[in-house]
Amino acid sequence: MGMNEISSENILIITSCLYPNKITTDFKSVIGSLEKRINRYIYTVEQLKIKRFDKAYFIDNSKYKIRDFPKLHEILKLKNIEIINIKPSKYSYQRGKGFQETEMIDYILKNHDCNTNFFKITGTIPLTNLHKLTTIFQRLMQINDKRLFSSKISYINKTIDTRFFYTNKKTWEVFIENYRKFIDEKNNIYIEHLLFFFCELRKIKLNLFYP
């Protein structure tokens, strides 16, 4: 590493809501049983290869505690993934799950410096090539860190898939400061749209996971 290069920490954020309900949101959710959701989280975590990350987090904002589900708790501990439970803010109840996810990401990033790169994934869908993708993203971020990588980008619908994305704290903080306040799912203003417009207006280079 050259003298002028800054070492960037690389972290993984797995967002979770073990069982969405009226306690955590007033938006309708299409969900299966709690047992099915827990099994999906377990399967996702089992598939993860996280050695490319300096730190990995599993953060949940439902009324449940991860320790109440021994198999999930065990696999997270085995993989050295830090477990965090938070309560959504009162403000986020009216703003929807996209707003709540930004709160979870912020909660993690507050303990990391501005040079941190992060990979955000949703806990219910496994991403089996995480290691390969992270290696590619890190290399490209060293060339130009004004980037955001996503599993799906639609220039027709003007949306970015926020279930899986990779960027850095500097870029994320600018988005949060200027655009999060407009998220309002009751009025069909979603984070997926706002993140797209943010990248377009701020000249953040958008990259798909797969060319």
Side-chain angles (χ1 to χ4, degrees):
M1 182 178 293
M3 291 182 63
N4 294 324
E5 291 185 50
I6 299 174
S7 178
S8 296
E9 197 175 21
N10 196 49
I11 68 171
L12 174 66
I13 302 174
I14 309 164
T15 58
S16 160
C17 187
L18 293 182
Y19 199 67
N21 53 48
K22 295 290 184 179
I23 293 176
T24 56
T25 178
D26 59 0
F27 288 79
K28 292 180 180 179
S29 297
V30 179
I31 53 177
S33 69
L34 176 58
E35 182 181 4
K36 287 181 179 179
R37 286 185 68 86
I38 296 300
N39 287 336
R40 287 172 66 182
Y41 285 118
I42 291 168
Y43 180 75
T44 295
V45 174
E46 286 176 338
Q47 305 306 306
L48 292 177
K49 295 181 180 179
I50 61 172
K51 63 182 181 180
R52 293 290 305 181
F53 296 99
D54 299 295
K55 186 75 176 176
Y57 300 91
F58 187 95
I59 182 166
D60 183 81
N61 70 345
S62 70
K63 66 175 182 176
Y64 295 98
K65 300 297 183 184
I66 306 300
R67 64 175 177 267
D68 295 331
F69 304 94
K71 191 172 180 182
L72 176 58
H73 188 267
E74 180 182 346
I75 188 66
L76 289 167
K77 289 294 186 181
L78 184 65
K79 293 213 168 192
N80 199 30
I81 298 173
E82 184 172 337
I83 300 167
I84 297 173
N85 285 96
I86 68 168
K87 184 178 179 180
S89 69
K90 292 181 180 179
Y91 183 72
S92 72
Y93 289 155
Q94 288 77 41
R95 294 289 174 156
K97 67 181 183 66
F99 193 99
Q100 291 177 10
E101 287 222 328
T102 68
E103 291 185 329
M104 288 193 277
I105 294 170
D106 281 357
Y107 187 90
I108 300 299
L109 291 180
K110 70 181 181 181
N111 296 315
H112 294 272
D113 67 33
C114 64
N115 298 308
T116 300
N117 297 328
F118 69 94
F119 206 138
K120 182 269 179 188
I121 70 172
T122 186
T124 54
I125 305 174
L127 195 60
T128 55
N129 59 345
L130 186 68
H131 177 85
K132 181 179 178 181
L133 291 173
T134 305
T135 302
I136 295 169
F137 298 165
Q138 282 184 291
R139 185 176 70 247
L140 291 172
M141 288 291 256
Q142 289 176 349
I143 299 169
N144 174 14
D145 67 356
K146 291 186 67 174
R147 293 178 184 269
L148 186 143
F149 301 84
S150 175
S151 52
K152 183 178 180 181
I153 300 166
S154 174
Y155 289 91
I156 296 174
N157 297 322
K158 301 187 185 302
T159 58
I160 292 171
D161 188 349
T162 58
R163 294 175 299 173
F164 307 99
F165 67 91
Y166 184 95
T167 189
N168 58 59
K169 182 176 179 179
K170 287 183 291 187
T171 297
W172 180 253
E173 285 186 330
V174 176
F175 170 73
I176 291 300
E177 181 179 355
N178 295 282
Y179 294 84
R180 177 168 58 183
K181 59 190 174 186
F182 298 112
I183 298 174
D184 186 358
E185 293 183 14
K186 282 188 173 179
N187 290 304
N188 298 316
I189 304 174
Y190 297 94
I191 184 176
E192 290 82 0
H193 299 108
L194 291 169
L195 197 56
F196 179 90
F197 288 122
F198 160 71
C199 290
E200 290 281 285
L201 293 170
R202 298 289 179 136
K203 310 298 182 186
I204 307 298
K205 185 173 178 59
L206 290 173
N207 297 90
L208 280 169
F209 281 9
Y210 313 100

